[in-house]
Amino acid sequence: MSLAEQIDKSKVPEHVAIIMDGNGRWAKQRGNQRIFGHQNGVNPVREVTEAAVEVGVKYLTLYAFSTENWNRPQSEVDALMELLVNTINGEVPALLKNGIRLQTIGDTNSLPNKVQAKLQDGIKQTSKCKTLTLILALSYGSRFEICEAVNKILTDFKNKKVNEGEITPAIFQSYLQTANFPDPALLIRTSGEERLSNFLLWQLAYAEFLFTPVLWPDFTKEEFFKAIINYQSRERRFGKISEQL
Ligand code: FPP
């Protein structure tokens, strides 16, 4: 039985989030520049997107660039931005063909104008697609997002749209950039690192975590299927005990 066939289609996580890590090490192992690793990280993005569509995942969030990544050498930041523009440009027809809606989270205003324009174009062109929502986290940082939410709440308080004592988890989440998406049920991080790196701190409260030693450029559809099968073997109790489920 193939890996895809081993997946129980009635228990597929609705939202999968991935920290794509290890591009630099992958390139170094081959005696190449870091950007070579990023370039080879594009195909796995295609693979997991296709795999997500195949098994019926509805939302896929990819951590492509963090607020902290701006501190990398300028040449690497510039090359990554160039790669993003070219990739988004080239992938829109494939997104449309497969019913994939493009969305972003993060401080996208801080991205170069060229990247912003390509993103807006991709978002607009794919806005009616219904099969999968592909969310790119770009210049994303969870602490920034949470502070931004608090600032919006303070503005609404000043304008009497929200009152003291009224903030619940559900209301707070409606102020986050992910307000229109369900929380991820599964978080995958590649490259053997086991940390969150300021990614979706609020949204991952009840996610299952899966850490794999595979470096991102080596991540394949099969690795994605294996992660889903592993997820399906877990018992998600949400604070209850087994017998209550
Ligand atoms: C982390 O590896 C990876 C990134 C910071 C960039 C991810 C970008 C891509 C996969 C390019 C294509 C993306 C899209 C959405 C088109 P690292 O550089 O931190 O690796 P290291 O830990 O081995 O140094």
Side-chain angles (χ1 to χ4, degrees):
M1 203 167 27
S2 73
L3 285 168
E5 284 163 357
Q6 289 171 44
I7 293 173
D8 178 348
K9 293 279 166 46
S10 70
K11 280 198 214 140
V12 170
E14 189 182 17
H15 185 171
V16 178
I18 307 183
I19 303 179
M20 309 181 287
D21 198 7
N23 295 351
R25 276 163 284 165
W26 187 91
K28 209 170 162 194
Q29 283 172 5
R30 285 158 181 78
N32 264 301
Q33 303 282 322
R34 297 177 54 80
I35 187 64
F36 182 67
H38 298 315
Q39 286 160 348
N40 281 277
V42 175
N43 204 45
V45 169
R46 277 191 206 107
E47 289 235 347
V48 294
T49 307
E50 274 175 34
V53 168
E54 266 178 50
V55 296
V57 168
K58 300 304 287 178
Y59 298 84
L60 177 67
T61 299
L62 303 177
Y63 203 5
F65 196 83
S66 72
T67 43
E68 289 73 23
N69 286 154
W70 291 112
N71 300 321
R72 291 191 173 196
Q74 193 57 42
S75 57
E76 183 174 343
V77 172
D78 291 346
L80 259 172
M81 292 300 146
E82 195 63 35
L83 184 63
L84 277 171
V85 173
N86 294 338
T87 308
I88 298 159
N89 225 4
E91 295 298 322
V92 171
L95 296 178
L96 284 168
K97 188 166 157 241
N98 293 290
I100 301 166
R101 179 170 72 123
L102 182 66
Q103 294 278 283
T104 57
I105 52 171
D107 180 21
T108 45
N109 290 331
S110 62
L111 296 167
N113 289 340
K114 220 160 69 168
V115 181
Q116 289 190 44
K118 291 291 165 213
L119 282 170
Q120 276 156 17
D121 181 54
I123 291 170
K124 199 167 157 211
Q125 284 201 57
T126 61
S127 64
K128 302 255 164 13
C129 294
K130 296 245 178 317
T131 309
L132 169 76
T133 299
L134 174 64
I135 304 152
L136 296 183
L138 289 164
S139 191
Y140 176 83
S142 203
R143 289 180 172 181
F144 173 86
E145 181 193 26
I146 290 170
C147 290
E148 214 192 18
V150 173
N151 284 320
K152 282 189 238 162
I153 292 170
L154 289 173
T155 305
D156 279 358
F157 174 72
K158 201 173 85 189
N159 296 330
K160 304 208 178 331
K161 286 190 192 154
V162 64
N163 299 309
E164 219 172 299
E166 260 181 23
I167 302 297
T168 60
I171 291 178
F172 188 79
Q173 101 97 29
S174 74
Y175 283 90
L176 293 171
Q177 294 186 337
T178 52
N180 297 321
F181 315 132
D183 285 345
L186 171 64
L187 169 82
I188 301 170
R189 183 170 188 151
T190 59
S191 90
E193 307 292 351
E194 301 190 358
R195 54 177 172 268
L196 282 182
S197 301
N198 202 12
F199 188 47
L200 301 175
L201 301 180
W202 172 279
Q203 298 86 340
L204 292 171
Y206 277 99
E208 296 296 328
F209 288 7
L210 187 130
F211 300 107
T212 165
V214 175
L215 302 177
W216 180 251
D218 290 330
F219 200 79
T220 56
K221 226 178 224 200
E222 281 64 37
E223 293 296 334
F224 186 80
F225 292 151
K226 275 194 238 164
I228 304 282
I229 292 165
N230 181 318
Y231 164 88
Q232 292 188 333
S233 72
R234 306 200 188 174
E235 184 178 66
R236 303 188 76 206
R237 292 193 291 275
F238 300 99
K240 296 182 181 170
I241 63 168
S242 283
E243 290 70 20
Q244 291 176 297
L245 299 175

